[in-house]
Amino acid sequence: MLHTVNKSPFEKNALESCLSHAVEGASILLIEDGVYAALGGTSTAARMAEAAKRFKVFVLGPDLAARGMDAGRLVEGVGIVDYEGFVDLVAEHPTSQAWL
Amino acid sequence: MDEMESGVVKKFMFVNRKAPYGTIYALEVLEMVLISAAFDQDVHLAFVDDGVFQLKKGQDTKALGQKNFSPTYRALDGYDIEKLYVEAESMAERGLTPADLLVPVEVLSRAEMGALMNEMDVVLTA
Amino acid sequence: MAAYTYNGKNIDADEEGYLLNINEWNEDLAGQIAKDEGVAMTSEHWEVVNFLREYYSEYQIAPAVRVLTKAIGKKMGADKGNNKYLYELFPYGPAKQACKIAGLPKPTGCV
């Protein structure tokens, strides 16, 4: 299962709900305002770092760049993908679930 | 679509995470669910997070001038949509028990809900 | 927008003739809609129309035809809860046409 999350963890619980329902082997892609969850030094960073050990976690580069967020400040274990990588992730997983 | 036409039944799950009335999501999902009944698929309906509020008994929207669509959940049985799951933790966090709900449901733990989602062919969350 | 006239008052309907406000419905108006549809109302027709109104009042939706047929069968018996009987009463579809006469919206899931 590929999970996408597009809400900021500081405003909505979409990420938290996603993390608590995802099962082993899941991938999680942070997009749009969801990318704020990928950054280190925040109140949610520890939760993200722990999640990155259980799941494959990615963040969409163009959404990070659009928001002026530094790709060098990501939580350890979070990978960056571009739009092509997004498409590859969707193709690799038989099912996707969008947490809105 | 080809697979549907050839009669392959897929496991669909509609996951409700939003409270009713504040946004249009709950009503839109409900309409999608009713329409999906025409395709004879294996439809599952899950209520997690604020989605559990959709099933609260005693909704009265008269003063809002909006339609109270909560009675429609009781029609789902007649549409042969009988797989309704509510998450125990989401209810507990919101001070609800199954006695507060307007339809009979199966109560699942968060872990069980996650496992069930993982078994689906198609998951639509709103 | 289509409209019906009842007691000199305009009753708004959508382009297919379904009432916009269910509360404006009454039996005389139903008779008028039926006439426009070419349906001569009998007690059997009224039985279905009244059933639909009760269904709507309980569930807040107009049922899909499959659901209506099943529900009528459950309440009134198999000789009425079948397509042949209901289509003879309402040739353009028991859900679509009877809902229009009953003042309900077009059934959800009908396209």
Side-chain angles (χ1 to χ4, degrees), chain B residues 85-116:
Chain B
Y85 306 93
V86 173
E87 188 170 274
E89 289 88 339
S90 297
M91 271 198 295
E93 286 160 10
R94 289 158 183 81
L96 298 178
T97 70
D100 291 307
L101 306 183
L102 48 80
V103 278
V105 296
E106 189 173 334
V107 178
L108 298 181
S109 71
R110 193 160 273 162
E112 288 168 331
M113 191 67 90
L116 187 63

Coordinates of all heavy atoms in Angstrom, one line a residue, chain B residues 85-116:
Chain B
Y85 N -17.8 -0.6 9.6 CA -16.8 -0.8 10.7 C -16.5 0.5 11.3 O -16.3 1.5 10.6 CB -15.5 -1.4 10.1 CG -15.7 -2.7 9.3 CD1 -15.9 -2.6 7.9 CD2 -15.7 -3.9 10.0 CE1 -16.1 -3.8 7.2 CE2 -15.9 -5.1 9.3 CZ -16.1 -5.0 7.9 OH -16.3 -6.2 7.2
V86 N -16.5 0.5 12.6 CA -16.2 1.8 13.4 C -15.0 1.5 14.3 O -14.9 0.4 14.8 CB -17.4 2.2 14.2 CG1 -17.0 3.4 15.1 CG2 -18.6 2.6 13.3
E87 N -14.1 2.4 14.3 CA -12.9 2.2 15.1 C -13.1 2.6 16.6 O -13.5 3.6 16.9 CB -11.8 3.1 14.5 CG -10.4 2.9 15.1 CD -9.4 3.6 14.3 OE1 -8.9 3.0 13.3 OE2 -9.1 4.7 14.6
A88 N -12.7 1.6 17.4 CA -12.9 1.7 18.9 C -12.2 2.9 19.4 O -12.8 3.7 20.2 CB -12.5 0.5 19.6
E89 N -10.9 3.1 19.1 CA -10.1 4.2 19.6 C -10.7 5.6 19.2 O -10.8 6.5 20.0 CB -8.7 4.1 19.2 CG -7.9 3.0 19.8 CD -8.0 1.7 19.0 OE1 -9.0 1.6 18.2 OE2 -7.1 0.8 19.1
S90 N -11.2 5.7 18.0 CA -11.7 6.9 17.5 C -13.0 7.3 18.3 O -13.2 8.4 18.7 CB -12.1 6.9 16.0 OG -10.9 6.7 15.2
M91 N -13.8 6.3 18.6 CA -15.0 6.5 19.4 C -14.6 6.9 20.8 O -15.2 7.9 21.3 CB -15.9 5.2 19.4 CG -16.9 5.1 18.3 SD -18.2 3.9 18.7 CE -17.2 2.4 18.7
A92 N -13.7 6.2 21.4 CA -13.4 6.4 22.8 C -12.8 7.9 22.9 O -13.1 8.6 23.9 CB -12.3 5.4 23.3
E93 N -11.9 8.3 22.0 CA -11.3 9.6 22.0 C -12.4 10.7 22.0 O -12.2 11.8 22.6 CB -10.4 9.8 20.8 CG -9.1 9.1 20.8 CD -8.5 9.0 19.4 OE1 -9.0 9.6 18.5 OE2 -7.5 8.2 19.3
R94 N -13.5 10.4 21.4 CA -14.6 11.4 21.2 C -15.8 11.1 22.2 O -16.8 11.7 22.0 CB -15.1 11.3 19.8 CG -14.1 12.0 18.8 CD -14.2 11.5 17.4 NE -13.1 12.1 16.6 CZ -11.9 11.6 16.5 NH1 -11.6 10.5 17.2 NH2 -11.0 12.2 15.8
G95 N -15.5 10.3 23.2 CA -16.6 10.0 24.2 C -17.8 9.3 23.7 O -18.9 9.5 24.3
L96 N -17.7 8.5 22.7 CA -18.8 7.8 22.1 C -18.7 6.3 22.4 O -17.6 5.8 22.5 CB -18.9 8.0 20.6 CG -19.1 9.4 20.0 CD1 -19.1 9.4 18.5 CD2 -20.4 10.0 20.6
T97 N -19.8 5.7 22.5 CA -19.9 4.2 22.6 C -20.8 3.7 21.5 O -21.6 4.5 20.9 CB -20.5 3.7 23.9 OG1 -21.9 4.0 23.9 CG2 -19.8 4.4 25.1
P98 N -20.8 2.4 21.2 CA -21.7 1.9 20.1 C -23.2 2.3 20.4 O -24.0 2.4 19.4 CB -21.5 0.4 20.1 CG -20.1 0.3 20.6 CD -19.9 1.4 21.6
A99 N -23.6 2.5 21.6 CA -25.0 2.9 21.9 C -25.3 4.3 21.4 O -26.5 4.6 21.2 CB -25.2 2.8 23.4
D100 N -24.3 5.1 21.1 CA -24.5 6.4 20.5 C -24.8 6.4 19.0 O -25.1 7.4 18.4 CB -23.3 7.3 20.8 CG -23.2 7.7 22.3 OD1 -24.1 8.1 22.8 OD2 -22.1 7.4 22.8
L101 N -24.6 5.2 18.4 CA -24.6 5.2 16.9 C -26.0 4.8 16.4 O -26.7 4.0 17.1 CB -23.5 4.2 16.4 CG -22.1 4.5 16.9 CD1 -21.2 3.5 16.3 CD2 -21.7 5.9 16.6
L102 N -26.3 5.3 15.2 CA -27.7 5.1 14.7 C -27.8 3.8 13.9 O -28.9 3.5 13.4 CB -28.2 6.3 14.0 CG -27.3 7.0 12.9 CD1 -27.3 6.2 11.6 CD2 -27.7 8.4 12.7
V103 N -26.8 3.1 13.6 CA -26.9 1.8 12.9 C -26.0 0.8 13.6 O -25.0 1.1 14.3 CB -26.3 1.9 11.4 CG1 -27.4 2.4 10.5 CG2 -25.1 2.7 11.4
P104 N -26.3 -0.5 13.5 CA -25.4 -1.5 14.0 C -24.1 -1.6 13.2 O -24.2 -1.5 12.0 CB -26.2 -2.8 13.8 CG -27.3 -2.6 12.9 CD -27.5 -1.1 12.8
V105 N -23.0 -1.7 13.9 CA -21.7 -1.7 13.2 C -20.8 -2.7 13.9 O -21.1 -3.2 15.0 CB -21.0 -0.3 13.4 CG1 -21.8 0.8 12.7 CG2 -20.8 0.0 14.8
E106 N -19.8 -3.0 13.2 CA -18.7 -3.9 13.8 C -17.7 -2.9 14.3 O -17.2 -2.1 13.6 CB -18.2 -4.9 12.8 CG -17.3 -5.9 13.4 CD -16.9 -7.0 12.4 OE1 -17.6 -7.2 11.5 OE2 -15.8 -7.6 12.7
V107 N -17.3 -3.1 15.6 CA -16.3 -2.3 16.2 C -14.9 -3.0 16.1 O -14.8 -4.1 16.4 CB -16.6 -2.0 17.7 CG1 -15.5 -1.1 18.3 CG2 -17.9 -1.3 17.8
L108 N -14.0 -2.2 15.5 CA -12.6 -2.8 15.3 C -11.6 -1.9 16.0 O -11.8 -0.7 16.2 CB -12.2 -2.8 13.8 CG -13.1 -3.6 12.8 CD1 -12.5 -3.5 11.4 CD2 -13.1 -5.1 13.3
S109 N -10.5 -2.5 16.5 CA -9.4 -1.7 17.0 C -8.7 -1.1 15.9 O -8.9 -1.4 14.7 CB -8.4 -2.7 17.8 OG -7.7 -3.4 16.8
R110 N -7.9 -0.1 16.2 CA -7.1 0.6 15.2 C -6.2 -0.3 14.4 O -6.1 -0.2 13.2 CB -6.3 1.7 15.8 CG -5.7 2.8 14.9 CD -5.3 4.0 15.7 NE -6.5 4.9 15.8 CZ -6.5 5.9 16.7 NH1 -5.5 6.1 17.5 NH2 -7.6 6.7 16.7
A111 N -5.6 -1.3 15.1 CA -4.8 -2.2 14.4 C -5.6 -3.1 13.5 O -5.1 -3.4 12.3 CB -4.0 -3.1 15.4
E112 N -6.7 -3.5 13.9 CA -7.6 -4.4 13.1 C -8.1 -3.6 11.8 O -8.1 -4.1 10.7 CB -8.8 -4.9 13.8 CG -8.5 -5.9 14.9 CD -9.6 -6.2 15.8 OE1 -10.5 -5.3 16.1 OE2 -9.7 -7.3 16.3
M113 N -8.4 -2.3 12.0 CA -8.8 -1.5 11.0 C -7.7 -1.3 9.9 O -7.9 -1.4 8.7 CB -9.2 -0.1 11.5 CG -10.0 0.8 10.5 SD -11.6 0.1 10.0 CE -12.6 0.9 11.2
G114 N -6.5 -1.1 10.4 CA -5.3 -0.9 9.5 C -5.1 -2.2 8.7 O -4.9 -2.2 7.5
A115 N -5.3 -3.4 9.3 CA -5.1 -4.7 8.6 C -6.2 -4.8 7.6 O -5.9 -5.3 6.5 CB -5.1 -5.8 9.7
L116 N -7.4 -4.4 7.9 CA -8.5 -4.6 7.0 C -8.3 -3.7 5.8 O -8.5 -4.1 4.6 CB -9.9 -4.3 7.7 CG -11.1 -4.5 6.9 CD1 -11.3 -6.0 6.6 CD2 -12.4 -4.0 7.7

